[in-house]
Every structure is written in structure tokens, then in C-alpha cells.
Amino acid sequence: MVTGDNQGEGRAMDRPFDLIIRGGEVFDGSGGPSITADVAIKDGRIAAVGQIAGAGAEEIDARGHIVTPGFVDVHTHYDGQATWDGRMQPSSWHGVTTVVMGNCGVGFAPCRPADHDRLVRLMEGVEDIPFPVLAEGLPWNWESYEDYLDALSTRAFDVDIGSQLPHAAVRVFVMGERGARREPATAADIAAMAAIAQGAARAGALGFTTSRTLNHRTSDGSPTPTLTAGEDELTGIALGLKAAGAGALQVVSDFTDPEVEFAMLRRIVERSGRPLSFSLLQSPIDPSAYKVLLAALEDAAAAGLPMAAQVAARPVGVLLSLELTLNPFSQYAVYGEIAQQPHAARVAALSDPAFRERLLADHPREGARRLPTNWGRMHLMDARPDYEPAPDTTVEAIARARGVSPEIVALDHMLTDGGRGMLYAPFLNYAEGSLEPARAMIAHPLTVPGLSDGGAHVGMICDGSFPTTMITHWTRDRTRGPKLALADVVRMQTRDTARLLGLHDRGLVAPGYRADLNVIDYDRLALHAPQVAYDLPAGGRRLIQKASGYVATVVAGQVTYRDGEATAALPGRLVRGAQPAPMAMAAE
């Protein structure tokens, strides 16, 4: 319940605080035990924590609920959305109060006008954001990275936004077509890229990011421009950050040879002194490789090197349906007959017995790119999502129990809910059919939760809800293995993520810190099933996922969400550079 002075009357001395959150169980982000306390807010900062005698202009009754710092999501892709939208949904539906974008080496600045389409096609391919959406949505009122930050600084958001300098954009900006073709950078090229990195860090970039994975391709199938960038290039750019005295490094890599690749990253950190994090997931190709990388991290930490890994809250998996980018029949010749028809017409055709018979007798077109149709690893997405599904819930197992083919089970499920039923195909972090490897990675002291990709993969993946999974699955609902302590999970995605990129002014419920907070009905907190919305520029489609149980989310002292619904408040702003820890405010 929220109360306030709707008349705007009363003496200020009677209401010394802007907002008081009353009587909640406060998990302060330190990892320590919770306390029952009030949290008083003044001028966007936490003014006092304890038993508060004064009144607030507005008050939230948090009795029976938990109070946490706002979640800091360090791995998103809102680079485009932030230029046309004030609400960084889905992240802000899930208690996130700060997002960091520009990850994986992709983004839109710096960029010359002649390269607009090139960077759009790269983002379309890597992050599955359709070309028409970006072509219509991006205002392109910048060329340099500093211009891009200036453009963002004029906008208001429902979260704070931090930006990182993307390698692909820098490489194309400096090297043009040579950079796009992945030619080796010359000494002059490297010097120019280092200068851009130095300037970006001084202007407020939180870091520099790059991609070294074959999974990242442009929409025409070409590898990302940064795939084969040499160690000299990466080191030179890192030295640009060193010259600025600011900025972290973020890397995504295939780690085909984990020891060799990690050794290179370690040398870059040794030379530059800049902190570095990399994406860490369990691969089905080499399910134990993550252990090698964790051991290498431990060796680096013992040597005093600031290196960490970003890990995922659950499996990374593709969603398949008749409304989305792919479904198991997308490359069947018979399905191709209806593929371009409106959704309702396709549902009608697939419900027709004669058409179904033809489709189920068909097979993928010769030479078609294989789709994730391993029926033994595919599950039905239900109204209450299960992100650690058991082996007996696979499409294959259900088909065997029903005495029908897996294709029939998949098709029948996709036709539920008016043709909106979804299938879930985990492909990372689930090689062994459980989340035990993920738990080992999440609980490791040198990792932080990340990799939600909020704002990206709008037609196949819906992982912006990772922060809610961290709370619900890992501290309360898990049945297939040990859980994690709630105080630790809160710390992981508040203080720990904030510190990864130098945001020392947030992530704790303590006097002087930013008043970014969540009031959560812990018992009621739950994820909804993913849905499809058509609310992007050009009528673009995207996957969204909401949650129940967030009583209130507060950004800079203003309530931005009440019971999952947005308020009119947009107090979030661009964060320029690392932020120092605050001096404690004296309680009023």
C-alpha cells in the first residue's frame, strides 16, 4: 500500500523525507542477514535505515515483504531502444534499476552515415532485432561515440543507463571495409582505435566490449568484424582505456582452446591494468570447459588481476512458435506454402487435417540450415515456466507416453492458445539436463550474474527476466538440487554487479547510496509465460515476459512501478563513467 499527501499541504518539518518504505525485511545487498527496518529517502538518496520517526511525503507499507537494492543488469542490448523509448522493458519489469548496454562488441556508435545499414545488419544478425525496427527507430543524431552519449543524456528513462564502446563499430569506423572483412589492423589502425577508446572512457563509457564467437554474424551470415582481431589490436585498445584511467573490458568468446584464449585475455589485463569480464556458459560441445576457465580465473585472482566471469541464471534456450522467428517446421517445403501468410491463416491451415497430414509426412528442405529440433531436449512452455525441466517432460518423452510422433506433440502444443503455444529448446547451461553446472558458476566468488541480453533476441530468446529467476528459482522454488541463500543472491545482482563496472554509488541499502530499491512480495513473486508483443517501431514483434510480486520499484527515490504497472515517473538518466561510493548522509 502506498500513501501520500495528495493535497500538497503540511509543513515540510512534519514530512522531512520524500519517501519512506515502512517495516520491510531489508536485505541490504551486503550479503549479511536481513533486518526489519524502515528506509527513508530524501533527494534521490537513502537518508536513513532503521526505525524512522519522521514522516514521508509518500510512504510504502512493506510489512510482510522484502526490500532489496535495485538490481543492476550488466549485460543488455538497449543501444537502439534507449534512443526511441523511455522504458527499458522487459528489464524494468523485473526489479532492474540500472542497465548496462553495448555488450558483445555491437552497437551504433561511432558510425559514419555511410555505415548505418552495416551496423544495423550486424545488430540484426547478432541480436535478432529486425532491420525495419532499427531503420525506423534509430534517429542517428550522432556520429562519434561522444555524440551518442550526448544524445542519450537528453533523454529520461525508467532505469539508469550505462553504455560501453562496441568494438565492431570502432573497427568499421576506423578501417571501413577492411575492418568489416576482418583484415588485420595496422599499427596506425590500432592507434586510432585506442584514441577512440580513450576519448570514449573520458566521455563516460563504462568500458569497451568485443566478440570472438562464430555465433555472432550479420544478417547475411558474415562473421562479426571483430572475430579474428589480433592480440595487438585488443591490447592497444585496452591501453587506450589505461591512458584514460577508466573503463572495463567485456569479451564473449567461443573458447575453443580455453587455456590459450584465457592466457591472451590475462596478458591484456596484465598490460593494461583494466578489469575484464567474459561470458561463461556450459557448452554442450565441451560440457566441462567452464571448470577450466573457473580454475584459470582463480589463478588470475591469486595474482591480483581484476578478472571475472558473467554467468546466466538458467539455460539459454530458443523459443519456437508460429509467431516467432523459427518453429520446428520452418524449413519444411510444405510449411513454406503458408509461411508468408498472416498468423490466423497459418493456424487455420495447420488445423486442417489434410494439410497436417502433408506437413507431418514432409521433412526439411535439402541443404536447409538445421534447426534446434532435438526432441529429446525440447520442452513445452507452459503458463508457469519451468527453467529446470526434468527429462520426462521433453517432447520426445511426452510423445512416447502418448504413442504419437514428436512432431504431433510439437504441432499440437503450438496450436494451443490460438496458435501461440511455445516450445523451449535449451542449448547452453543444460548439457547434463540439470542446472547443477549453472549453480556452481553462479555461486563462484569470481562470477556475477549477467547475460540476460535485455532488449535483444526479440524473436527467439526471452532472458531479460533473469533477475526474477535468480530470486524465485535459486532461493525458493528449486527441487532438483540445492538452493542458494536469499541474502547471497540479492548481493550477487546488486552490489556485486554494480562493482563490476565501478558503480559504487548503488547496490546497497545504506545512507548516502542511490535510492534504487525494490519492495517484493517474496511468497507471490512469479514469472509469467513469455508472450509476443507488436510494439516496436514499424510494428515490430518482440518477446516479452512479465512477473507478479514486485510491489514497488524505486529509481532515484521515485516509484517507477507499482504492482508491475509503470507510473509516470522517468527518473533514470545516462550514467557517465564509474561512480564513487557516497559519503554517508546524516539522518534527518
Side-chain angles (χ1 to χ4, degrees), residues 413-500:
H413 184 72
M414 289 193 297
L415 287 170
T416 61
D417 190 24
R420 294 177 176 83
M422 295 184 190
L423 303 165
Y424 176 56
F427 63 92
L428 293 171
N429 266 18
Y430 218 59
E432 298 161 13
S434 89
L435 283 177
E436 274 304 290
R439 186 182 67 83
M441 287 184 269
I442 291 169
H444 195 280
L446 296 175
T447 71
V448 298
L451 312 184
S452 80
D453 281 349
H457 301 298
V458 296
M460 290 192 294
I461 296 173
C462 191
D463 287 344
S465 58
F466 272 4
T468 301
T469 292
M470 285 291 295
I471 301 292
T472 55
H473 185 77
W474 288 108
T475 76
R476 191 192 66 194
D477 296 341
R478 192 174 191 229
T479 60
R480 298 186 60 209
K483 300 182 180 71
L484 300 171
L486 179 55
D488 287 336
V489 169
V490 170
R491 167 186 53 78
M492 291 172 188
Q493 58 185 8
T494 56
R495 188 192 68 175
D496 290 359
T497 46
R499 288 184 174 181
L500 182 74

Side-chain angles (χ1 to χ4, degrees), residues 179-192:
R181 291 198 305 264
R182 298 172 304 285
E183 292 184 11
T186 66
D189 294 331
I190 295 171

Side-chain angles (χ1 to χ4, degrees), residues 17 19 26-30 35 37-52 69 499 504-517 580-588:
F17 302 111
L19 174 66
V26 178
F27 289 84
D28 68 1
S30 70
I35 61 170
D38 306 328
V39 180
I41 295 165
K42 182 73 174 178
D43 297 329
R45 297 276 171 176
I46 297 172
V49 180
Q51 302 305 308
I52 310 298
R499 288 184 174 181
H504 299 289
D505 63 337
R506 63 201 69 201
L508 284 174
V509 183
Y513 281 78
R514 272 182 59 91
D516 296 345
L517 300 156
M583 298 293 291
M585 293 170 57
E588 295 186 43

Side-chain angles (χ1 to χ4, degrees), residues 101-291:
M101 60 193 190
N103 287 282
C104 301
V106 291
F108 303 110
C111 185
R112 304 183 198 282
D115 290 319
H116 287 177
D117 284 1
R118 188 191 301 277
L119 292 192
V120 167
R121 287 193 175 91
L122 179 60
M123 185 68 82
E124 180 182 41
V126 172
E127 304 299 342
D128 188 31
I129 304 174
F131 187 97
V133 169
L134 296 170
E136 179 172 309
L138 289 168
W140 289 114
N141 52 343
W142 65 84
E143 182 167 317
S144 70
Y145 182 81
E146 291 85 345
D147 293 341
Y148 177 68
L149 292 187
D150 288 345
L152 291 176
S153 70
T154 67
R155 299 184 54 77
F157 309 101
D158 60 0
V159 298
D160 264 14
I161 289 182
S163 176
Q164 299 171 102
L165 178 69
H167 190 185
V170 174
R171 201 169 207 270
V172 170
F173 189 84
V174 169
M175 298 175 62
E177 185 63 29
R178 291 188 301 115
R181 291 198 305 264
R182 298 172 304 285
E183 292 184 11
T186 66
D189 294 331
I190 295 171
M193 286 188 271
I196 290 173
Q198 181 178 349
R202 287 178 173 167
L206 295 180
F208 167 85
T209 73
T210 192
S211 170
R212 299 171 63 76
T213 173
L214 279 168
N215 291 323
H216 288 172
R217 296 175 178 271
T218 67
S219 55
D220 64 8
S222 301
T224 181
T226 64
L227 176 67
T228 55
E231 182 175 346
D232 57 344
E233 180 177 337
L234 296 173
T235 301
I237 294 168
L239 292 174
L241 298 183
K242 179 180 181 179
L249 301 160
Q250 182 268 330
V251 179
V252 56
S253 172
D254 287 330
F255 286 106
T256 50
D257 189 331
E259 294 91 345
V260 170
E261 185 79 347
F262 187 91
M264 181 192 72
L265 300 181
R266 176 170 174 158
R267 289 191 296 272
I268 293 169
V269 175
E270 288 171 339
R271 289 200 58 189
S272 69
R274 302 315 306 165
L276 180 148
S277 68
F278 60 90
S279 301
L280 181 62
L281 293 149
Q282 184 196 39
S283 168
I285 298 172
D286 188 354
S288 63
Y290 75 92
K291 298 177 183 178

Side-chain angles (χ1 to χ4, degrees), residues 65 384 476 521-527 548-551 563:
H65 303 322
R384 190 176 179 91
R476 191 192 66 194
D521 186 336
Y522 179 67
D523 294 334
R524 194 169 61 88
L525 187 65
L527 281 173
S548 299
Y550 287 100
V551 176
D563 293 319

